Amino acid sequence: MGVKRLHSYIESNSDFLKPRCFRESRLIIDGSNLYYNLYFRSHVDQAHGGDYDDFEKIVTLFFRNLRMCDIEPYVVLDGGADVSGKKFETLKTRCCERIIRANALSRGRSGEILPILTKHVFKQILGKLGIPFIQCLAEADWEAAALASEWNCPVLSNDSDFYIFNIKSGVLPIDHFQWWKVSKLRHNSKNFIPTKSYRDLNLCAAFNRMNKYNLSLFAVILGNDYTKLDNSAFPNFSKFSTRPGATAQVDGVLVWLSKFPGPKEAIAALLSPLGKNKKSDSIRKEINQGMAEYRLRPSSIGQFFMSGEPQSVPPGPLQNLPAWTLKPLAEGKLASTIIEVVTLQRVMLNPQVEDFELSSSSETSRLIRQVMYGILLCTRWQKVKKGSRSSGDEQQTDVEEYSRQKMTLTSSMVPAVLPRGVVTHLDSLWEEPEHLRLQILLDALCVSPLLNSLLIPSSLQLAIYATGYWLNHAQPEPKAEMFWALLIGLVYGHLCRNHQTTIEARTVVSRLKNLQERKGQKLLDLGFAHALCQWQSCLKDSFNLNQLLNHPVPEPELASLYSGSLVHAVAQELMRGVEPETLLAGASFAVELYRNLQAMLERELDDQFIIRIRTRAGPRGQRARCDPANDLSKMFQHLTTDEEKDEEKDDGCDVFYEETCSARTRHISRAHTVDPRAKKYERVKWR
């Protein structure tokens, strides 16, 4: 990201980064850069699909500390991919790198991979905290720099492109922004955050007070995400440097540029060895286009932060976006994926930490995405003729999806599918009655409406629908322990959000946290990991489709739905033979919620699937029912070491060992009615 090797060069020279006590100021935040940094630097789990609840705590603490220092944050998030196509090869390269890193993590090696719901979770946290933010239609760098220039405040980012923009108040590199270390000024005891600040004037001053406009040429010569010049005819800039090592090229370009009063003279000197020919003209054109990327004009997002209204007429291909989508996109209430679908008919799917010998986990939820593609693309050309099936009324619309086949990035053309009964234009879709929009969602997920929605908290309903789809489409078929572990994870998140003050809930939460945090973690179980990655893909695409349909199902707080390391730990415990309800012993309402979730989902399964789940095979074959109280006691014997046992006696963590466990796990009774949805779904095709 950014200008090649520039970040390392700036870091290696203390003259370019000055200490700063930052407080009482606006701050433009590169949102994508921030959530990557917070997730990775805080060592939140990646291998098990992400611990979104832990991530939420870190993000909340970050913004709380900003407020303690009277810092006003404005977060600017990336939107869709570059519609010009200039960055497409870079995007493919980065996706290939993510595949390699995800595979390394799946094999127990080091690597960094962002869980696929992180951006969604981040946006929800910002909304919950009341932090002003905007999701741009394209990449956010230029808009963030332009707004910082207008408002005369710094940008917080690690992206070295910001070192080139003319930002008067400078750049605060995230690596040096010690947000966790709020300090006090000596003379007035006011809070500040210790940081370091970069200003382009400091860099130029170190090179004979170089013209600051030479910096954009400097970035183009080195190369960035958009510009990669054929510089075979350029001089070896390293020979101008007085600094040996990896950054000699960077230093050499700066030394060379410092000889020229401005970029015009430098470009002429750079191209003079080529003479006047087509190659020279072509390079000159590329240079000018590359430099234009760093030329700041008034920002288009300032008005959004002031009035709440986004830019009314987006530029170029972005004009293809329906007008009604512009505001919810800016507000982060629609996934940025739809920008790429509408403008490029192309999507790049991020890999997860899964079994790379199997098909990508994203294939499981492809049917859901096809419906989303159909709504976005097919409603724009659909001709409504009752009963007509002539070829003139049909138009095939495909979206090119980039995903992986084993370790290779591949693409495939995926047909957009218009749901049955959708005859409206996309512009009026949100105005359709809620029951019609709900039916579109349910048809896409191949699930039935909840029989009694009062039994399922509104915050869990979308997750239950997505889980029903997952159970019927995941390959290999999910094991009982995976299914139960997910349900326990949903119950856990619900308890943490809604029952924090009750002793019973704290008992169960504490027990599950102990299970999650126990020492001696094993290697990743790839079977579990792959199944749970498939579930996350189903949840993400269900969430995106629900947003596109204007929330016929209440939008859940995603951070409460999945804690990867906890769900994996629970699944391992269930594989030992512990009954699911044993883990929830001590809170009758938690057991009841678990049973209701299980009952609702069993309605979506065929009889044989239910039998396979209920008669799961344990470590020694089919398992007889055990006394849950005895289960619970045995479970804690291997959760704690001898030294930890004495400490936990005082915790009151499991005072309900024996008083709340029933003698056997209750089977859910299921009505066997004639219902076409009672059988496992085949691949659905809409007329």
Side-chain angles (χ1 to χ4, degrees), residues 45-262:
D45 174 80
Q46 301 165 48
H48 299 88
D51 283 348
Y52 299 113
D53 51 346
D54 289 342
F55 178 61
E56 181 180 39
K57 293 173 185 175
I58 292 161
V59 175
T60 302
L61 180 60
F62 175 86
F63 286 105
R64 189 196 73 180
N65 287 1
L66 293 192
R67 283 174 173 159
M68 287 175 62
C69 302
D70 297 317
I71 298 168
E72 298 178 38
Y74 293 85
V75 179
V76 185
L77 288 161
D78 288 328
D82 170 47
V83 294
S84 71
K86 291 185 292 185
K87 196 176 175 179
F88 185 50
E89 291 304 316
T90 299
L91 294 176
K92 289 197 292 185
T93 299
R94 289 181 182 166
C95 192
C96 291
E97 292 169 351
R98 285 195 292 270
I99 291 172
I100 294 170
R101 293 198 301 269
N103 180 59
L105 276 169
S106 74
R107 297 175 180 274
R109 299 196 294 268
S110 61
E112 287 185 343
I113 191 74
L114 200 68
I116 63 171
L117 291 174
T118 307
K119 183 180 179 181
H120 290 70
V121 171
F122 185 68
K123 289 190 292 183
Q124 285 191 325
I125 299 169
L126 295 178
K128 187 176 178 180
L129 296 176
I131 305 298
F133 78 95
I134 184 172
Q135 180 176 251
C136 295
L137 295 180
E139 287 201 329
D141 294 0
W142 188 91
E143 293 286 3
L147 185 60
S149 180
E150 282 180 47
W151 287 1
N152 194 23
C153 64
V155 169
L156 180 68
S157 179
N158 269 345
D159 190 332
S160 58
D161 273 325
F162 288 106
Y163 294 152
I164 306 302
F165 289 113
N166 182 23
I167 304 172
K168 293 179 182 178
S169 289
V171 180
L172 307 182
I174 293 179
D175 285 346
H176 296 283
F177 192 75
Q178 301 180 58
W179 60 268
W180 62 91
K181 191 178 178 181
V182 174
S183 306
K184 290 185 180 295
L185 295 171
R186 290 182 180 178
H187 61 283
N188 59 14
S189 297
K190 290 187 176 181
N191 294 329
F192 71 91
I193 290 178
T195 186
K196 289 185 178 180
S197 176
Y198 164 90
R199 297 176 190 267
D200 57 357
L201 292 179
N202 292 338
L203 180 61
C204 292
F207 291 90
N208 197 27
R209 299 189 180 278
M210 181 176 65
N211 185 336
K212 62 184 179 182
Y213 294 107
N214 281 357
L215 288 180
S216 56
L217 176 57
F218 161 71
V220 172
I221 292 173
L222 286 177
N224 54 30
D225 293 342
Y226 294 94
T227 307
K228 295 176 177 61
L229 293 176
D230 176 11
N231 54 11
S232 57
F234 294 173
N236 177 13
F237 291 105
S238 299
K239 68 183 181 181
F240 300 109
S241 173
T242 58
R243 297 166 58 95
T247 59
Q249 177 82 354
V250 180
D251 189 68
V253 175
L254 288 168
V255 171
W256 183 82
L257 282 171
S258 68
K259 301 174 183 178
F260 300 98

Side-chain angles (χ1 to χ4, degrees), residues 206-412:
F207 291 90
N208 197 27
R209 299 189 180 278
M210 181 176 65
N211 185 336
K212 62 184 179 182
Y213 294 107
N214 281 357
L215 288 180
S216 56
L217 176 57
F218 161 71
V220 172
I221 292 173
L222 286 177
N224 54 30
D225 293 342
Y226 294 94
T227 307
K228 295 176 177 61
L229 293 176
D230 176 11
N231 54 11
S232 57
F234 294 173
N236 177 13
F237 291 105
S238 299
K239 68 183 181 181
F240 300 109
S241 173
T242 58
R243 297 166 58 95
T247 59
Q249 177 82 354
V250 180
D251 189 68
V253 175
L254 288 168
V255 171
W256 183 82
L257 282 171
S258 68
K259 301 174 183 178
F260 300 98
K264 181 178 179 181
E265 293 81 3
I267 293 172
L270 190 66
L271 298 180
S272 62
L274 298 177
K276 293 185 177 181
N277 53 41
K278 289 185 177 180
K279 183 177 181 180
S280 176
D281 292 341
S282 174
I283 294 176
R284 185 185 299 273
K285 183 179 179 181
E286 283 189 72
I287 289 174
N288 289 329
Q289 288 175 344
M291 292 176 63
E293 299 285 348
Y294 296 102
R295 195 172 300 128
L296 295 180
R297 303 177 300 279
S299 165
S300 66
I301 64 174
Q303 67 176 23
F304 176 80
F305 283 124
M306 296 297 101
S307 67
E309 293 300 322
Q311 186 179 16
S312 57
V313 182
L318 293 170
Q319 293 179 15
N320 292 332
L321 290 167
W324 71 268
T325 65
L326 298 181
K327 187 169 183 178
L329 276 170
E331 294 173 337
K333 294 178 180 177
L334 286 175
S336 58
T337 306
I338 77 168
I339 301 171
E340 296 163 55
V341 173
V342 173
T343 60
L344 300 172
Q345 291 186 214
R346 183 177 71 210
V347 173
M348 197 162 290
L349 304 171
N350 285 324
Q352 299 187 71
V353 183
E354 56 194 18
D355 188 343
F356 281 75
E357 293 301 314
L358 300 176
S359 297
S360 169
S361 57
S362 61
E363 289 191 12
T364 305
S365 57
R366 178 177 289 171
L367 286 173
I368 307 173
R369 293 195 300 278
Q370 287 182 267
V371 173
M372 185 172 72
Y373 301 156
I375 292 171
L376 289 170
L377 300 174
C378 299
T379 54
R380 312 194 76 185
W381 51 256
Q382 184 194 37
K383 298 177 182 178
V384 183
K385 289 185 178 180
K386 293 183 179 180
S388 173
R389 293 288 294 168
S390 67
S391 59
D393 295 330
E394 298 291 326
Q395 179 176 338
Q396 183 66 58
T397 305
D398 294 334
V399 172
E400 186 176 20
E401 285 192 346
Y402 280 81
S403 186
R404 66 161 189 85
Q405 288 294 334
K406 295 192 174 180
M407 294 293 294
T408 304
L409 180 67
T410 60
S411 69
S412 59

Side-chain angles (χ1 to χ4, degrees), residues 393-443:
D393 295 330
E394 298 291 326
Q395 179 176 338
Q396 183 66 58
T397 305
D398 294 334
V399 172
E400 186 176 20
E401 285 192 346
Y402 280 81
S403 186
R404 66 161 189 85
Q405 288 294 334
K406 295 192 174 180
M407 294 293 294
T408 304
L409 180 67
T410 60
S411 69
S412 59
M413 302 306 294
V414 176
V417 175
L418 188 64
R420 184 174 54 231
V422 178
V423 295
T424 185
H425 287 289
L426 179 60
D427 293 352
S428 58
L429 180 62
W430 275 25
E431 300 170 8
E432 294 296 315
E434 183 178 292
H435 73 275
L436 293 179
R437 290 180 281 110
L438 175 61
Q439 193 57 53
I440 294 171
L441 179 68
L442 297 180
D443 284 348

Side-chain angles (χ1 to χ4, degrees), residues 535-667:
W535 180 82
Q536 275 210 73
S537 292
C538 296
L539 178 63
K540 178 183 178 181
D541 290 330
S542 301
F543 185 90
N544 290 346
L545 179 58
N546 189 53
Q547 284 189 326
L548 184 60
L549 294 169
N550 196 16
H551 308 101
V553 177
E555 181 168 298
E557 290 187 36
L558 292 171
S560 69
L561 297 184
Y562 186 75
S563 175
S565 58
L566 182 137
V567 172
H568 274 258
V570 168
Q572 291 293 342
E573 200 62 28
L574 296 173
M575 286 294 289
R576 293 174 179 270
V578 173
E579 291 295 333
E581 293 176 348
T582 299
L583 297 173
L584 302 174
S588 58
F589 49 85
V591 175
E592 182 180 4
L593 175 57
Y594 172 84
R595 290 171 174 170
N596 289 339
L597 299 179
Q598 186 178 20
M600 289 295 177
L601 285 165
E602 285 194 356
R603 291 175 55 242
E604 304 301 324
L605 307 178
D606 64 38
D607 295 338
Q608 292 302 312
F609 198 166
I610 293 174
I611 291 171
R612 288 194 294 275
I613 286 178
R614 290 180 175 176
T615 59
R616 57 157 179 175
R620 298 181 181 177
Q622 185 169 325
R623 184 176 178 275
R625 294 288 178 185
C626 299
D627 183 341
N630 190 44
D631 267 356
L632 192 59
S633 180
K634 289 180 178 178
M635 180 186 72
F636 270 83
Q637 289 178 12
H638 70 79
L639 286 188
T640 59
T641 64
D642 292 338
E643 292 78 12
E644 292 169 328
K645 287 180 182 178
D646 292 336
E647 296 175 4
E648 291 186 1
K649 286 179 181 178
D650 298 328
D651 287 345
C653 173
D654 262 286
V655 295
F656 295 94
Y657 271 14
E658 299 179 358
E659 59 189 71
T660 59
C661 294
S662 59
R664 63 183 179 84
T665 299
R666 174 186 173 192
H667 280 304

